[in-house]
Each structure stands twice: as structure tokens, then as C-alpha cells.
Amino acid sequence: RAFIVWLANGETIRVYKMTKKEDGNFTFTATSEDFPKKHKAPVINIGIAETGKFIMTASSDTTILIWNLKGDVLASINTNQMNNAHAAVSPCGRFVASCGFTPDVKVWEVCFSKGGDFREVTRAFELKGHAAGVHSFSFSNDSRRMATVSKDGTWKFWDTDVEYKKQQDPYLLLTGKCEVTEPCRIALSPDARVVAISSGTNIVVYNTRRGEEEERFVGVHGQCITDLAFDINSRYLVSSGDRAIRVFHNSAGYRAVVEEMEGMLRKTANKATRERLEQQISNAQKALAAIYGRKH
């Protein structure tokens, strides 16, 4: 029903309401007042919880603010990371995470009561293991996996499906080597099968089963890539930079589906399960054939 922007010249947040017209198009109307100016340093990231319950803003110092949709600050988080390099709301709308100068990623849970009232922000877990500051991180769609990329020249793939309230730590599943040229961004596909890393003007795609390089796109933009993301269905990879957006087929993701489903097919004797897996394999193979222009 609305989207948010931050005004770079004022470090303030503005909300635009979306109204559907009779012809099917939308009009966008700014709300009566901008959010109050609370950040003391430049804003670097914003996000809206999928639940619609809160907005997150992060500035380049160590501050993250949690707002309600009316512009009231619900909580202030001090990340204690010397500076914030990147911050995001998880796709499930439960978590807020940040990375910066320190070699870890910190994750908090934004808690609400059953009635929908804000309760608190509590520390959930940390991703520890890099040897230098973390440039960027990314969640899978269900927040059960995360990927990180660091100045130490490695990327890591994590199992974050843990009972952190019982002091259980995330599990490191994989470490891979990569090129790191600032600005550096990482995107984990929603199904967690593929990781894409942008470094300067290049993009490299890896699978998360073995950490192997699948594809490399060189000189994608004329200037450094500013952001990287997969679509919600893991079909496309999108990059932005030099006032342009580039869209790529996620062919590595389709190959990962085929490999994973074929492995499961060899282990099951259930007829219904086999039919479902064979259908998924067929769909992925057809998508690859369409991408590469092959009939078979």
C-alpha cells in the first residue's frame, strides 16, 4: 500500500501512499509529514518488514532505528561495529541484521505481542568466522540460510535455522574464495541454491552445494555495481549501476534444481514423490533449454 524512500540531502524518511486508479494504474502521494530527523550520520539502508509492522533505517555510524509506519521510533540499536556497512530486514519480517568494520554479522529479532503491539528488540545470533570486516550479507526467503562476503576474500554460507533462545549458534556450511573489490555485494537466491557476488563491475555466480563457480559476467556496468538481488522465485538475478538495471537468467539456479532433484530421485521409491521430482526436473530442463535456445 506504500513505499518508502530516504532523502539523501536531509537524512530523513518519506512515505508515499499508493492509490489504484480506475484505469488500473497507480498514483503516489506523499504523506503529510516526513519522518522526524533522528539519524546523526548519512542513511545507508532502509527496509520494510514483510508483515508491515515496522520500518528499519540504518546510518553509516553504528545506529539502526526501528520505526512504526506513523514515524514514531520504536527502538534504537547500537551495532557496536565501528561503522555500519550494510543492514537489512529479513524476508520473513522477524529479523534485522547488520555488518560493518568488525568480522561478524549481528542479527536481532524485532518482537511483537500476539495483539500486534511492539515489545522489544532482542539479540538473536551472530555469524562469526571471517578474518576481516564484512561487506554484505543476504538472507534466503525463509531466513533459514544466510550468505556473507568479507574483505578477507571469502564468502560463507550459513545454516541459521537454530534455536538461538537456547544459545544454539548458526552452523557454517561452506566457505568459498572470491574476488573482493569495493563496493562488493552478495545476493543469496530465495531458495538458497545459488550465491551471486558483485565486485566492482563484475558478477560471479556460485552454487551453494559445493561452492563452485558457475558463471562469470565481466564488465556488466560501466561503473561499479551498487546493488544485487534475485527475484522472489529465484528465476532472475538483477544488478544496478550507472543509472541502469541489468536482468540475468538464473541458469545456475535451474542447474542446481536438476542436480538436487536427481539426487533425491535416486533415493526414493515412492511413486508420487518420484513423479513430483521428475516434473520439477523437467520444468528446470525446459527453462534451461529456453534460455540457451535448444530444443532438447
Side-chain angles (χ1 to χ4, degrees):
R1 295 180 181 177
F3 70 93
I4 59 173
V5 299
W6 82 77
L7 310 181
N9 61 346
E11 306 309 339
T12 55
I13 309 303
R14 179 172 295 175
V15 176
Y16 289 85
K17 291 184 177 179
M18 300 169 59
T19 305
K20 195 170 186 177
K21 298 190 296 185
E22 291 182 0
D23 61 5
N25 293 320
F26 288 91
T27 57
F28 304 96
T29 308
T31 52
S32 56
E33 293 183 4
D34 293 339
F35 282 19
K37 186 175 180 179
K38 296 290 185 180
H39 285 286
K40 297 179 181 179
V43 175
I44 59 167
N45 290 111
I46 60 177
I48 311 176
E50 180 269 342
T51 56
K53 291 181 178 179
F54 69 89
I55 293 171
M56 180 278 305
T57 60
S59 48
S60 59
D61 51 14
T62 61
T63 304
I64 293 178
L65 296 179
I66 306 298
W67 310 72
N68 65 19
L69 303 189
K70 296 179 180 179
D72 301 319
V73 175
L74 301 175
S76 177
I77 303 170
N78 183 356
T79 64
N80 294 311
Q81 291 174 312
M82 299 288 285
N83 67 281
N84 295 330
H86 181 66
V89 180
S90 65
C92 67
R94 285 180 60 194
F95 303 109
V96 166
S98 76
C99 63
F101 183 79
T102 59
D104 52 9
V105 175
K106 297 181 179 180
V107 183
W108 295 264
E109 183 176 4
V110 183
C111 303
F112 290 82
S113 68
K114 291 183 178 179
D117 297 322
F118 172 76
R119 287 206 335 254
E120 62 178 345
V121 174
T122 181
R123 178 70 66 85
F125 54 85
E126 295 183 10
L127 304 179
K128 294 178 174 289
H130 283 291
V134 178
H135 280 303
S136 178
F137 61 86
S138 181
F139 289 92
S140 65
N141 199 45
D142 57 10
S143 305
R144 299 167 110 180
R145 297 289 187 271
M146 288 183 69
T148 56
V149 63
S150 166
K151 296 178 182 178
D152 63 14
T154 67
W155 64 273
K156 294 180 182 291
F157 182 50
W158 307 82
D159 179 351
T160 51
D161 186 19
V162 296
E163 296 187 66
Y164 57 87
K165 292 181 180 178
K166 296 182 180 179
Q167 309 304 312
Q168 189 177 6
D169 293 323
Y171 300 99
L172 177 61
L173 299 174
L174 194 67
T175 298
K177 293 183 178 180
C178 61
E179 299 172 4
V180 177
T181 302
E182 294 188 50
C184 185
R185 292 286 182 266
I186 191 167
L188 177 62
S189 62
D191 60 15
R193 291 187 173 102
V194 173
V195 160
I197 298 173
S198 66
S199 179
T201 61
N202 303 330
I203 298 173
V204 183
V205 181
Y206 303 87
N207 65 57
T208 57
R209 289 172 70 85
R210 295 175 302 279
E212 296 173 348
E213 180 179 323
E214 290 270 354
E215 292 180 318
R216 179 180 292 262
F217 305 108
V218 179
V220 174
H221 292 272
Q223 298 176 1
C224 289
I225 295 168
T226 55
D227 212 349
L228 203 60
F230 285 91
D231 80 296
I232 192 66
N233 296 311
S234 302
R235 293 180 299 178
Y236 304 105
L237 172 67
V238 181
S239 64
S240 64
D242 57 29
R243 297 186 180 183
I245 290 174
R246 307 269 189 263
V247 183
F248 304 87
H249 289 288
N250 181 19
S251 53
Y254 289 119
R255 290 195 293 270
V257 169
V258 172
E259 181 183 342
E260 183 179 327
M261 297 302 119
E262 286 180 339
M264 295 172 66
L265 194 60
R266 289 191 290 269
K267 297 177 181 178
T268 184
N270 182 278
K271 182 180 179 181
T273 302
R274 291 185 66 86
E275 289 177 353
R276 178 176 57 82
L277 293 172
E278 288 170 351
Q279 184 62 52
Q280 288 179 279
I281 292 170
S282 176
N283 291 342
Q285 289 174 334
K286 287 178 181 177
L288 284 169
I291 291 170
Y292 293 112
R294 293 197 298 262
K295 293 182 179 179
H296 303 287

